[in-house]
Amino acid sequence: MTPRAPVPAPFRVSLPDLPWLLGYAVAFWVTHHIASEWGGRGFYSLLYPAAGFRMALLWRRGPRLLPGLIIAEILVQCTTGVIDLRSPEWAIHLTGVIRPPLAYGLVVLLVRHVAGRAHTSMSVAPMPLGLASVGAPIAAALAALPWSLLRPDLTGVSGLRDVVTSLTGFVVGDLLGVLLLTPPLLWLAEFLSGTASRPEKPRTSAVIEAVGVLATSIGTEILLAKIGLGTPHTPVLLAVAWIGLRSGRTASWLAIAVVAAIVLPRTAMPMRMDERLALHMSLASIMVVGYLAGSFADAQARARGDLERRDRLLFQAERLKTLRAMSVAVIHEISQPLSTLAIEAKHLHEITVSADPEIATTAALIDRKAAALSTLVRRLRRFGGRAVDEPTPLPLAALIDTVAALAHPEAKSRGVTLAIETVDPDLVVLAQEVELAQAIVNLVRNAIQARGDGQVSLDVTSEDGKARIVVTNRSRPDRSPQPGMGIGVLVARAIVEAHGGSLTRASDDTGETRATILLPLLGETE
């Protein structure tokens, strides 16, 4: 599963958020005015597009914007006269304005909290957004229920029937506003920020199927109305649900938009309030069922993708297991002659110290290389021994030496300079050396292949009781796609997470990419 981004601290507004809040205030004022076309007595408008902007902002920027969002709505309502500061009841009206955005913010916070800790299909995107989009309007209406019962003189409704009608309209209006506007607003925000995923080209057969199903359902409703059976909306509801389950959230939203474009202009015309409410309730039920069906289909598709990636990881793990078994046999065969070679190289170095300088330099180089190879073979033998699955205290300086020995030849062959900073010898982690080295080598190789400016750096520091390993490179703007399955990073992430750490990758506008590994230092784990 794709790692989720950390949720910002709740209820804290920063300077970069101010343009968002200003834009929201303008959008809220415009859409609040539009909502009056479908307004009624009491709390509600039967179409409240302002709720869609509210949900989109809270979901996009996080519930930490809630205080600023509430202030923006208060300022707008003061300018429109909903809150009259000269009225003795101004504090009561102020409470009524604060209540809906507060309910929305708390629902978004709750859904994100639960989705971040659950491991079911309901926690896979985009299901959390779908649940929040349906739950927030209901929560806002329930928050208004006590007020409608205690102060009918202020709310304009009296009696149980009027209260139920008013709050039903509240829920319906907010649902229509959220489900119509929130999805395209979020997509637009992602598109403008450059984070929107490239949409897949729909299959022609799927488009024909969706259009046919929707047209048939609308025709069925028209036919039923003409023969005097009323206008039951079950055919359209089933059609939108079918489209959502078959083709996902985007297709279901487009079907919803078509149905809304037919119903909403009609209900803006003069008609009895109970008829308008009935039509909007039917439209809201179609939207809820269709949007949740599409969200569930997308979540299932994403879950299947995660399973496929895990299958590839398992396949790679089996290959690594086989290679490890083969390497044990090979190492066993070369360890003895290599040990002899190392001893003879050391002896050669000793007897040529006083000889010709060129001979002495060559002998010293042979000695160093033989010693390095012997050390590497000893580490590989420990990896292939009985304690292979037991992590041991590992100085990061020794780990980086191993990585350097493995990565330098490839870097040199590609004309890339691999810069490795000196590592603090006191930094020690509990790890399986060869596996962790493989994870870092995978990241370094990816960076070498990018080779934008011919520079790759590997830096190791510590912060807050954790070791921080950073691989940095800059990609070429015209870099062509690289061959391979793209599994190197997935394998690295699996190894790092198995060691209790985390792996993140980030790129900036200059093309610089940083792969960062965080590992708990030995003695710092809780």
Side-chain angles (χ1 to χ4, degrees):
M1 188 179 297
T2 304
R4 300 176 176 87
V7 179
F11 315 136
R12 186 177 63 194
V13 179
S14 60
L15 188 61
D17 296 322
L18 295 181
W20 289 86
L21 293 173
L22 180 61
Y24 172 73
V26 174
F28 182 83
W29 180 82
V30 173
T31 52
H32 192 73
H33 177 72
I34 293 173
S36 62
E37 294 293 329
W38 291 270
R41 290 190 306 117
F43 293 99
Y44 66 90
S45 167
L46 281 173
L47 173 62
Y48 195 62
F53 280 90
R54 180 191 294 153
M55 174 59 70
L57 182 63
L58 287 172
W59 193 263
R60 172 70 180 178
R61 303 294 291 178
R64 63 193 176 85
L65 280 191
L66 185 56
L69 185 144
I70 291 175
I71 292 173
E73 291 198 18
I74 291 174
L75 293 176
V76 171
Q77 300 291 42
C78 286
T79 60
T80 57
V82 174
I83 301 175
D84 186 357
L85 297 178
R86 296 169 296 181
S87 169
E89 304 287 354
W90 70 270
I92 297 175
H93 293 294
L94 180 65
T95 303
V97 171
I98 293 174
R99 190 170 49 241
L102 182 61
Y104 272 63
L106 293 177
V107 168
V108 169
L109 184 63
L110 177 63
V111 169
R112 285 188 164 194
H113 176 79
V114 173
R117 286 157 179 77
H119 299 283
T120 66
S121 59
M122 293 298 175
S123 65
V124 179
M127 273 307 294
L129 174 59
L131 296 175
S133 298
V134 175
I138 296 174
L142 291 177
L145 177 60
W147 197 249
S148 63
L149 296 174
L150 295 175
R151 295 300 302 269
D153 56 317
L154 294 176
T155 60
V157 293
S158 60
L160 183 59
R161 179 187 176 87
D162 283 350
V163 169
V164 172
T165 301
S166 177
L167 293 179
T168 301
F170 190 148
V171 174
V172 168
D174 276 29
L175 279 173
L176 296 183
V178 169
L179 296 179
L180 273 177
L181 290 183
T182 298
L185 286 173
L186 289 175
W187 182 87
L188 179 61
E190 291 178 355
F191 176 78
L192 293 176
S193 64
T195 59
S197 58
R198 186 176 181 180
E200 296 183 3
K201 185 178 180 180
R203 292 178 290 109
T204 303
S205 59
V207 174
I208 294 174
E209 176 187 319
V211 172
V213 168
L214 186 60
T216 301
S217 66
I218 294 174
T220 302
E221 287 199 8
I222 295 173
L223 178 63
L224 292 174
K226 285 189 174 182
I227 63 178
L229 296 179
T231 54
H233 297 289
T234 303
V236 173
L237 184 148
L238 294 176
V240 173
W242 174 268
I243 292 171
L245 289 174
R246 290 278 291 171
S247 303
R249 183 177 54 155
T250 300
S252 67
W253 183 86
L254 291 173
I256 288 169
V258 170
V259 176
I262 296 173
V263 174
L264 292 178
R266 176 185 171 190
T267 58
M269 300 176 182
M271 65 189 311
R272 286 168 37 198
M273 182 59 66
D274 58 340
E275 293 179 352
R276 182 182 287 115
L277 178 59
L279 281 172
H280 280 234
M281 286 180 64
S282 298
L283 180 58
S285 64
I286 291 170
M287 286 185 173
V288 169
V289 171
Y291 192 73
L292 289 181
S295 298
F296 182 76
D298 284 354
Q300 291 295 96
R302 183 168 296 189
R304 286 194 297 271
D306 290 336
L307 288 176
E308 291 174 359
R309 284 192 293 272
R310 290 178 183 179
D311 288 342
R312 291 198 297 268
L313 280 175
L314 289 174
F315 174 73
Q316 182 70 3
E318 287 298 321
R319 291 183 61 190
L320 290 174
K321 184 177 179 181
T322 302
L323 289 173
R324 187 170 66 183
M326 294 173 60
S327 68
V328 170
V330 172
I331 291 167
H332 178 74
E333 293 298 325
I334 67 173
S335 59
Q336 185 59 42
L338 184 59
S339 297
T340 303
L341 176 63
I343 294 172
E344 294 299 328
K346 185 176 181 62
H347 178 63
L348 177 63
H349 181 208
E350 291 173 349
I351 63 176
T352 57
V353 170
S354 58
D356 182 87
E358 185 176 350
I359 297 176
T361 301
T362 302
L365 177 61
I366 295 172
D367 183 23
R368 288 197 303 273
K369 295 298 184 181
L373 285 173
S374 296
T375 301
L376 181 59
V377 167
R378 284 197 300 271
R379 291 173 180 171
L380 290 172
R381 290 187 68 178
R382 288 202 303 271
F383 174 66
R386 294 183 178 180
V388 61
D389 294 323
E390 294 297 328
T392 57
L394 172 63
L396 287 179
L399 174 66
I400 299 305
D401 286 344
T402 301
V403 171
L406 295 171
H408 266 306
E410 182 172 352
K412 184 177 180 180
S413 67
R414 292 178 177 267
V416 174
T417 301
L418 178 59
I420 300 179
E421 300 292 333
T422 303
V423 182
D424 185 346
D426 294 331
L427 298 181
V428 179
V429 296
L430 192 64
Q432 296 168 344
E433 181 178 358
V434 175
E435 290 192 1
L436 194 54
Q438 182 62 57
I440 301 174
V441 167
N442 285 355
L443 301 178
V444 173
R445 283 176 174 167
N446 284 349
I448 291 172
Q449 290 172 3
R451 65 181 189 282
D453 57 0
Q455 298 285 335
V456 173
S457 66
L458 176 58
D459 186 28
V460 181
T461 57
S462 63
E463 60 175 30
D464 299 329
K466 292 185 176 181
R468 180 184 180 91
I469 305 171
V470 182
V471 179
T472 307
N473 69 281
R474 180 170 282 107
S475 300
R476 301 193 314 272
D478 59 344
R479 181 192 177 195
S480 58
Q482 298 297 311
M485 298 173 62
I487 203 169
V489 175
L490 296 177
V491 172
R493 179 171 283 114
I495 293 173
V496 170
E497 291 178 352
H499 284 78
S502 64
L503 169 59
T504 58
R505 299 178 77 242
S507 300
D508 59 22
D509 296 337
T510 66
E512 183 176 271
T513 300
R514 287 173 173 264
T516 304
I517 295 175
L518 292 178
L519 291 170
L521 289 170
L522 189 61
E524 300 289 345
T525 56
E526 297 181 358

